[in-house]
Amino acid sequence: MEYEPVIGLEVHVQLRTRSKMFCGCAADYQIADANTRVCPVCMAMPGVLPVVNKRAVEFTIAAGLALNCSIAELTKFDRKNYGYPDLMKGYQISQMDLPIAENGYMNLPDSETVPGGHRVGITRIHLEEDVARLTHIGAGPGSYSLMDINRAGVPLMECVSEPDIRSAAQAEAYILELQSTMRYLGISTANMEEGSFRCDANVSIRPKGAREFGKRVEVKNMNRVRAVVRAIEHEIERQTEIAEKGGVLPQETRGWDDEKGITLEQRSKEEANDYRYFPEPDIPPIYIERAWVDEIRSGLPELANSRRARFAGEYGLSQYDADLLTASRATADYFENVVRARDYSGDKLQSFSKESANWINGEMARLVNADVDPAAVITESKVTPAQFAELVELFQSRTINNNASKQVLAEMFASGRDAGDIVDEKGLRKVDDADALDPIIDKVISDNDQAIDDYLSGKETAIRYLVGQVMKATRGAADANVAAELIQEKIGSLTKR
Amino acid sequence: MTSGHILKTAHEARELIRSGNVSSVELTQSVLDRIEQIDGNLNSYITVTGGKALERAASVDAAIASGDLDGPLAGVPVMVKDNMSTAGTLTTAGSQILKNFVPPYDAHVIERLNEAGAIIVGKGNLDEFAMGSSNENSSFPPTRNPWDTTRVPGGSSGGPAAAVAAGEAFISLGSDTGGSIRQPASLCGVVGMKPTYGLVSRFGLLAFASSLDQIGPFSRDVTDAANTLSVIAGHDPRDSTSSLDSGGVDYAADLNGDLSGVKLGVPKEYLVDGIEPGVRAAYEESLKVLEGLGASLEETSLPLTDQALAVYYIIAPSEASANLARYDGFKYGHSSESAQDAWEVMDMTRGEGFGAEVKRRIILGGYALSAGYYDAYYKKAQQVRTLIRQEFAGAFEKFDALVTPTSPTVAFEAGSRTDDLLAMYLSDVCTIPVNIAGLPGISVPGGFSDGLPVGLQVIGPQFGEQTIFNVTYAYEQATEWHEAHPSI
């Protein structure tokens, strides 16, 4: 029998608010010393009360709108009760039956791994709070744990998908698209390695064509996109093997062991927690006014998906270039500002866009990545889009050659000066007219008898050495092809004589 | 000399300070002397902060003299129930689990008292986490009734009620979740007032049942209660359930003895089966007094009254089961010495730190909320709660206020109900509906039965504090019950 995987993803996204979910403590727990971002409220001292972070609600509404959800008119918080040392209050403030957003969807773009694209339903998006961080020291007798409360109370947004995903590749595309959306909205760094984006997968299989779902296995503990893909692939294989042998698949929670590449049983359905949810009495229900939703909607940026399509159409970019440019909102913004710095249209617009994309995805990306500041972003570089456009023009008009352009860009990146000034100052204007090159070539020829002899005795590569000498003499400004032609011509005339 | 002032009202004491007859330091010292003299028998206080209080009284005297401080509580010695957070002062909630807990922050009401120049002399005894009706659930020696020390003062705010009755403070603050201010006020013969839910910030009040808890004053007359409420009421951004448009009201300004045209409802369901004849007689006498003052009285019916107790014993324990989950031994308070791992720290800390009644309510609440029971218990209770609220709202379309007994009995013998939980829970049958509906209620001295005080309860509509102060002020003007003091 052939089996079909059924996959749903539950993603926790840490929101990039300035303060925590229910108190005024700064939410930048990663950069702070342990237990320095704490107050009586997030430490759950007796008698304290939560106050909702409005910005976190706003971020969640924005995420809901970006994922085509309907936004609740009435939302509320609930208490999720369970005892764990990292949970300060002994309950987590979360949302049960009235989440901020529900019933949305995400369109996965057409790609090699997801041919024709795919639509994944979004069940719900709700808001809750993170827990403290425990670090276990040692094992067995004498071992202990350290607790850092900085993270407790940082806003978490949970986004639950419908079980619409049918392959590990679709799951990967869903995660990448969701990460991109969060970053475009500016509401999260959405980074799995640093824990600001956490993904659990519900995986089951069923006979192909069947309507009912199989017993689902919740897989946890994946902290890279690659790990999610591998865990899902493994789980599909494992479940299919059991099913083919006529075995029974229980509903359970399994943990991914990245080293071994397998999932291990963590908790069976019988051991599942009863969270005893009930409405949070310390926070009255929240009415979300439509005017507020409209205001948030009007402030939404264009997302990667539509921008990608528009870049390909409007600017005639290849799918590859459009993908690269739209991978981050900053790069896409930068590209668009470069193009808009000139008033081109038609073929000129397309060729200018194409060249700009090449330089942004190539040399500029390399410079940004090599920056001493690991958090450097293209939009904050010293090179303004208008300056960048000038450089592209200088290159396109063949005023400077490829090597010189790279030199100029590096200088612009370091100093923020204009391309034209650097070109003039360093004399980098491409020298391609014979008159200007003539005396230089004459000198190179008269200074390099050995190379001329080599060439004449059939060693064609000697010409490259001679061109190199011309480039050196012009500090890279000479047009190498023109130089080579002229050298050959002159040597030819020498031998005829 | 000053000891003669200790049973005066706060506004009388305030007048003595204003006229220069007595200083706040002298007044505070006389209260501390009184505590020293009688609290060994009463146990009203868990902690007395005499040194701090005298220091503070001195600075308040200076501020009053320089004209920087005025207002009804400036220089007046007060006590606060020990479930209100006081920065730098032990705050136990009457529990062993917090026997060593010194919070770094003040409750909103403490800030308000301090700004008003009140002198906090100590922390009042209570049933553990405010769960109880007799003070016998305190994990400290229980408070006794100043009128008869073999009897209970009521609960859970037994300490604050007894202290005001016995001259150990002029004013005190209690908290009322199902009657915890009004019932002990009734049993101790003082005024006890529970404001509308949301009128006073709960920030810093150690939570028992979040949707029912409310802080309010104890005093020796209605004027003092009104003045104290004016000080502590008002919006607090730290409490999302605190009312937005309140504060700055002088509740004592317009008190007058005039009840003409006031319509009072007399709900028959409050004359419950177990009501003592002496309590009933005093209550009926009080109704005649009110009628004589020009109010029109009419019997009415609130049929859902007897559902309120059941609703309360679902909702309050459910909320408590979550509110008390933070006491896990990791962050503050008691932490079990014998625990071997993290799970044992949580289990054993709670096993050792909580008393029997608290454990009983945590278990009750956890059960009511658990999968498969939620709809039958918690959800149903919330639905009935809505109906009770609507029933009251209907009554207030017709009446300005409702008049009922506060407690069906006078103070009972210590130990007489500790083995009969239902009898204990029934102590609050007349006060619980008011919390369920979030309404303001006040208990004032309303007579005596066998030499023990009987309370009269007046219930108002939401934010109807002014109305119930007016009614009880008029009643107080026409009676002398509030002038009687225990002979302790």
Side-chain angles (χ1 to χ4, degrees):
Chain A
M1 196 189 303
E2 212 182 324
Y3 289 95
E4 168 189 63
V6 174
I7 303 158
L9 297 178
E10 289 179 17
V11 174
H12 282 88
V13 179
Q14 214 171 48
L15 296 180
R16 234 175 58 179
T17 50
R18 286 180 60 182
S19 59
K20 290 189 183 181
M21 188 60 228
F22 299 113
C23 65
C25 287
D28 58 348
Y29 71 96
Q30 303 97 330
I31 62 158
D33 287 340
N35 297 314
T36 57
R37 297 290 189 268
V38 295
C39 72
V41 174
C42 56
M43 287 182 76
M45 297 196 101
V48 299
L49 297 167
V51 177
V52 174
N53 184 329
K54 186 177 178 186
R55 181 53 70 87
V57 176
E58 202 169 287
F59 281 1
T60 307
I61 293 172
L65 291 173
L67 295 171
N68 309 294
C69 293
S70 52
I71 306 301
E73 295 197 13
L74 176 68
T75 188
K76 72 173 169 72
F77 287 92
D78 299 278
R79 290 186 183 177
K80 179 181 180 180
N81 296 286
Y82 66 97
Y84 207 87
D86 64 8
L87 186 64
M88 295 298 102
K89 295 187 291 294
Y91 57 87
Q92 180 190 37
I93 304 181
S94 180
Q95 296 195 281
M96 190 185 57
D97 55 335
L98 292 174
I100 291 174
E102 49 188 343
N103 298 326
Y105 61 86
M106 177 202 282
N107 286 327
L108 304 181
D110 176 29
S111 72
E112 238 170 81
T113 53
V114 186
H118 186 67
R119 175 172 287 195
V120 179
I122 305 290
T123 314
R124 55 183 280 150
I125 307 175
H126 75 252
L127 203 45
E128 57 190 34
E129 55 178 335
D130 213 340
V131 297
R133 197 151 51 163
L134 295 178
T135 308
H136 306 292
I137 310 291
S143 65
Y144 58 99
S145 301
L146 298 171
M147 181 152 72
D148 179 6
I149 304 179
N150 283 354
R151 198 179 63 182
V154 167
L156 276 187
M157 188 181 80
E158 183 174 345
C159 176
V160 182
S161 87
E162 289 288 296
D164 289 345
I165 298 169
R166 294 288 172 271
S167 68
Q170 286 181 4
E172 182 179 24
Y174 174 87
I175 292 170
L176 295 177
E177 195 66 18
L178 191 58
Q179 285 179 317
S180 156
T181 303
M182 298 301 117
R183 291 173 189 152
Y184 263 70
L185 294 172
I187 65 177
S188 175
T189 54
N191 185 317
M192 284 194 80
E193 283 85 348
E194 69 184 34
S196 59
F197 189 99
R198 304 166 208 160
C199 181
D200 298 336
N202 289 310
V203 184
S204 64
I205 56 165
R206 63 181 173 190
K208 205 166 174 95
R211 285 218 172 159
E212 286 99 63
F213 294 125
K215 289 268 169 58
R216 74 188 154 93
V217 172
E218 185 176 6
V219 191
K220 292 179 172 289
N221 200 30
M222 293 88 75
N223 46 21
R224 286 177 302 129
V225 181
R226 188 71 210 131
V228 180
V229 173
R230 286 175 67 211
I232 290 173
E233 282 169 349
H234 165 79
E235 204 41 43
I236 293 170
E237 205 173 303
R238 187 187 69 84
Q239 292 184 22
T240 307
E241 239 169 67
I242 294 173
E244 276 170 349
K245 283 186 197 145
V248 178
L249 287 158
Q251 182 172 331
E252 59 180 345
T253 301
R254 299 178 71 86
W256 170 247
D257 184 327
D258 203 55
E259 251 170 59
K260 296 191 180 124
I262 54 169
T263 60
L264 297 164
E265 183 182 338
Q266 280 188 339
R267 201 163 60 197
S268 71
K269 190 193 175 190
E270 287 69 34
E271 297 165 89
N273 277 324
D274 175 0
Y275 291 118
R276 305 190 308 278
Y277 278 99
F278 72 101
E280 168 56 272
D282 288 330
I283 304 173
I286 297 169
Y287 290 89
I288 301 176
E289 283 182 30
R290 295 302 96 178
W292 191 29
V293 176
D294 292 341
E295 194 186 309
I296 295 167
R297 185 184 281 115
S298 69
L300 286 183
E302 185 187 19
L303 296 177
N305 221 337
S306 88
R307 212 165 194 189
R308 199 154 36 219
R310 191 167 60 76
F311 279 11
E314 199 173 322
Y315 303 120
L317 298 181
S318 68
Q319 197 62 53
Y320 176 79
D321 278 341
D323 279 354
L324 274 182
L325 284 177
T326 54
S328 94
R329 181 180 164 188
T331 310
D333 283 347
Y334 192 81
F335 164 77
E336 206 139 35
N337 287 332
V338 168
V339 174
R340 284 177 186 159
R342 294 293 178 268
D343 205 13
Y344 297 137
S345 59
D347 287 352
K348 181 69 190 154
L349 173 66
Q350 299 227 337
S351 72
F352 182 71
S353 302
K354 176 84 190 125
E355 204 56 68
S356 298
N358 283 344
W359 281 92
I360 289 170
N361 288 334
E363 199 57 16
M364 188 64 175
R366 195 187 65 74
L367 289 167
V368 172
N369 289 338
D371 197 283
V372 283
D373 175 8
V377 276
I378 189 168
T379 39
E380 282 159 30
S381 84
K382 288 181 182 162
V383 187
T384 67
Q387 288 176 313
F388 196 91
E390 186 195 353
L391 173 79
V392 173
E393 277 176 335
L394 288 170
F395 176 76
Q396 272 202 307
S397 64
R398 304 176 69 87
T399 309
I400 48 176
N401 66 21
N402 192 53
N403 271 332
S405 301
K406 285 182 183 173
Q407 274 184 58
V408 173
L409 182 58
E411 175 64 31
M412 292 165 75
F413 191 81
S415 67
R417 293 171 62 206
D418 284 349
D421 293 350
I422 298 168
V423 168
D424 290 342
E425 182 188 290
K426 300 206 165 181
L428 291 173
R429 237 163 254 284
K430 188 155 74 178
V431 186
D432 59 356
D433 67 303
D435 292 347
L437 284 176
D438 228 36
I440 296 163
I441 288 172
D442 285 346
K443 185 163 191 312
V444 166
I445 287 173
S446 64
D447 287 353
N448 292 282
D449 289 348
Q450 182 62 48
I452 308 286
D453 289 347
D454 288 351
Y455 178 72
L456 291 174
S457 60
K459 206 171 169 189
E460 297 269 332
T461 50
I463 198 88
R464 262 192 264 156
Y465 172 77
L466 293 167
V467 171
Q469 293 305 302
V470 174
M471 298 304 284
K472 198 173 162 189
T474 59
R475 275 173 304 167
D479 185 315
N481 292 329
V482 173
E485 266 169 44
L486 285 171
I487 290 168
Q488 280 168 315
E489 220 171 85
K490 281 189 186 268
I491 298 177
S493 67
L494 276 179
T495 52
K496 276 173 204 153
R497 231 184 294 152
Chain B
M1 181 208 65
T2 48
S3 62
H5 301 314
I6 56 168
L7 287 169
K8 288 194 174 351
T9 62
H11 58 90
E12 285 165 353
R14 181 69 188 90
E15 214 40 64
L16 290 172
I17 297 173
R18 199 172 269 131
S19 59
N21 282 339
V22 66
S23 69
S24 175
V25 169
E26 289 169 322
L27 213 52
T28 303
Q29 187 58 58
S30 63
V31 165
L32 291 172
D33 291 345
R34 177 73 170 164
I35 294 168
E36 180 71 34
Q37 178 202 341
I38 64 168
D39 210 53
N41 292 331
L42 272 191
N43 300 321
S44 297
Y45 282 84
I46 289 177
T47 304
V48 178
T49 51
K52 270 187 204 175
L54 287 170
E55 254 174 57
R56 178 135 172 83
S59 73
V60 167
D61 274 332
I64 292 172
S66 67
D68 292 342
L69 203 51
D70 198 7
L73 298 188
V76 175
V78 304
M79 170 221 252
V80 295
K81 191 177 180 179
D82 205 20
N83 60 352
M84 296 171 206
S85 185
T86 42
T89 298
L90 193 65
T91 300
T92 68
S95 180
Q96 287 305 300
I97 213 159
L98 289 176
K99 64 179 181 213
N100 57 2
F101 178 62
V102 178
Y105 51 96
D106 277 330
H108 176 81
V109 290
I110 303 298
E111 291 173 355
R112 289 291 182 94
L113 286 179
N114 284 333
E115 284 160 21
I119 311 300
I120 297 170
V121 293
K123 307 294 294 285
N125 205 349
L126 68 158
D127 288 294
E128 185 176 3
F129 283 102
M131 297 177 185
S133 308
S134 68
N135 222 271
E136 291 163 298
N137 296 331
S138 174
S139 75
F140 297 87
T143 306
R144 291 304 171 86
N145 194 310
W147 294 88
D148 175 352
T149 54
T150 69
R151 292 175 187 264
V152 303
S156 63
S157 313
V164 168
E168 294 181 311
F170 286 88
I171 300 278
S172 63
L173 292 187
S175 66
D176 189 318
T177 305
S180 281
I181 291 174
R182 292 156 291 152
Q183 185 257 15
S186 174
L187 270 51
C188 290
V190 294
V191 174
M193 196 266 172
K194 180 203 98 74
T196 302
Y197 182 81
L199 185 62
V200 179
S201 167
R202 292 183 293 117
F203 185 84
L205 172 67
L206 277 58
F208 159 19
S210 313
S211 74
L212 300 161
D213 296 344
Q214 187 62 194
I215 295 171
F218 287 96
S219 60
R220 296 193 194 109
D221 73 3
V222 172
T223 303
D224 280 356
N227 278 329
T228 307
L229 184 63
S230 295
V231 167
I232 62 174
H235 179 64
D236 175 11
R238 294 168 299 185
D239 176 359
S240 303
T241 64
S242 101
S243 144
L244 284 174
D245 53 1
S246 58
V249 179
D250 185 352
Y251 293 103
D254 294 326
L255 297 178
N256 57 60
D258 186 11
L259 289 187
S260 51
V262 173
K263 286 177 278 183
L264 299 176
V266 182
K268 60 180 184 190
E269 287 79 6
Y270 283 72
L271 289 174
V272 293
D273 283 347
I275 193 165
E276 289 176 351
V279 171
R280 184 175 183 141
Y283 171 61
E284 282 165 354
E285 194 55 42
S286 294
L287 295 181
K288 282 185 198 144
V289 171
L290 289 166
E291 208 153 28
L293 288 165
S296 65
L297 272 67
E298 188 187 321
E299 189 184 83
T300 185
S301 174
L302 298 170
L304 288 171
T305 301
D306 66 345
Q307 305 298 323
L309 198 68
V311 168
Y312 178 83
Y313 276 100
I314 300 288
I315 292 175
S318 294
E319 293 179 0
S321 71
N323 283 332
L324 271 58
R326 69 188 57 200
Y327 304 108
D328 57 12
F330 290 120
K331 306 174 289 273
Y332 44 75
H334 175 65
S335 186
S336 177
E337 298 286 336
S338 22
Q340 297 299 308
D341 62 32
W343 308 108
E344 281 190 13
V345 170
M346 289 198 276
D347 291 349
M348 296 173 76
T349 294
R350 297 160 69 75
E352 294 161 9
F354 287 139
E357 182 64 21
V358 170
K359 287 177 187 165
R360 180 180 297 119
R361 296 202 195 188
I362 290 173
I363 292 166
L364 261 176
Y367 182 80
L369 290 172
S370 55
Y373 297 100
Y374 181 87
D375 286 355
Y377 294 117
Y378 186 82
K379 194 174 171 194
K380 183 68 74 184
Q382 288 291 11
Q383 289 166 338
V384 177
R385 183 177 192 174
T386 302
L387 295 177
I388 291 172
R389 210 179 264 139
Q390 288 168 352
E391 188 171 274
F392 272 113
F396 287 116
E397 281 173 20
K398 210 170 159 193
F399 302 109
D400 297 311
L402 302 170
V403 188
T404 78
T406 308
S407 163
T409 70
V410 293
F412 44 91
E413 291 284 339
S416 66
R417 294 188 186 177
T418 41
D419 295 325
D420 185 353
L421 284 174
L422 201 58
M424 188 70 95
Y425 289 179
L426 282 167
S427 306
D428 297 324
V429 67
C430 297
T431 48
I432 279 177
V434 178
N435 300 76
I436 297 297
L439 304 174
I442 187 170
S443 178
V444 296
F448 285 85
S449 170
D450 292 337
L452 292 167
V454 173
L456 174 71
Q457 178 173 240
V458 179
I459 304 166
Q462 277 206 332
F463 301 105
E465 276 75 10
Q466 192 65 66
T467 304
I468 62 174
F469 280 136
N470 282 337
V471 171
T472 48
Y473 178 79
Y475 175 82
E476 190 178 78
Q477 296 298 300
T479 56
E480 290 174 350
W481 312 123
H482 64 290
E483 286 166 14
H485 301 299
S487 57
I488 187 169

